[in-house]
Each structure stands twice: as structure tokens, then as C-alpha cells.
Amino acid sequence: MPPLDPHVVWSPASYADIGPHVFPMEKFRGVIERLKAEDGLRTWIEPAPATREELLRVHTPEYLADLDGAVHTPRTRMSELPISRPIVEFFVLAAGG
């Protein structure tokens, strides 16, 4: 049986500056670059951002409004990351993937 082609979900937009944090956001690009170099990866599936309807399946409208406005509220204070437009956009893209 021939090997299956891997399906990799990635976007060049898979990055947001999260400031000083233990999580290295550069790892997403690094993984793709290594797959390209070692495995000859030439194609990947580029995700679309999650739709509002999809996000509402797991979040309240109020929480999403807080994220849309990139504001800290009692609902968003539990986040270990700062709330900023680029960070919110990154996670909406990741959720779509």
C-alpha cells in the first residue's frame, strides 16, 4: 500500500506577537520550514478563519464582543495572553483550522 499524503493545515498568518511569553510563536513557521526541508512538503491546506456562527457554538456573544473590541473585562481576564487585535485574529484563524 502506498504511503498516505500528509495533510498539514497552516497559514503564513499563523503568527501573532504575544510579547514575552514561554510559548514560542515562531514554532509554527519553524515546523513548516523543517517539513519543507526534510520531507519535501510542497502543499498544505490553508485554513479560513472560524465564522461567527462557529465561534458562537462555544463562546457567548458577550465574550466575543470583548474580543472584538480587544478589551479586558471580567470575561477575558483569565487569558494568559494580552488581548490585542492581532492575537484575536490569530486565534480565530487557528480555530478555523
Side-chain angles (χ1 to χ4, degrees):
M1 177 185 287
L4 297 174
D5 290 332
H7 290 79
V8 176
V9 177
W10 180 76
S11 168
S14 294
Y15 177 83
D17 182 359
I18 61 174
H21 193 274
V22 68
F23 186 88
M25 290 293 287
E26 299 80 19
K27 82 176 192 174
F28 296 115
R29 184 172 308 279
V31 167
I32 286 296
E33 294 305 322
R34 188 161 180 181
L35 287 172
K36 286 179 183 177
E38 292 183 6
D39 298 328
L41 178 71
R42 291 187 201 114
T43 62
W44 56 84
I45 299 166
E46 189 158 345
T51 65
R52 191 66 166 192
E53 180 179 273
E54 291 167 333
L55 294 172
L56 284 168
R57 290 180 188 164
V58 294
H59 298 294
T60 66
E62 295 81 11
Y63 179 73
L64 293 178
D66 294 345
L67 293 179
D68 288 342
V71 295
H72 287 294
T73 67
R75 289 179 287 271
T76 62
R77 283 199 186 112
M78 295 302 288
S79 175
E80 65 181 64
L81 298 175
I83 304 297
S84 71
R85 189 87 228 114
I87 290 172
V88 170
E89 289 172 1
F90 164 78
F91 279 104
V92 170
L93 181 63

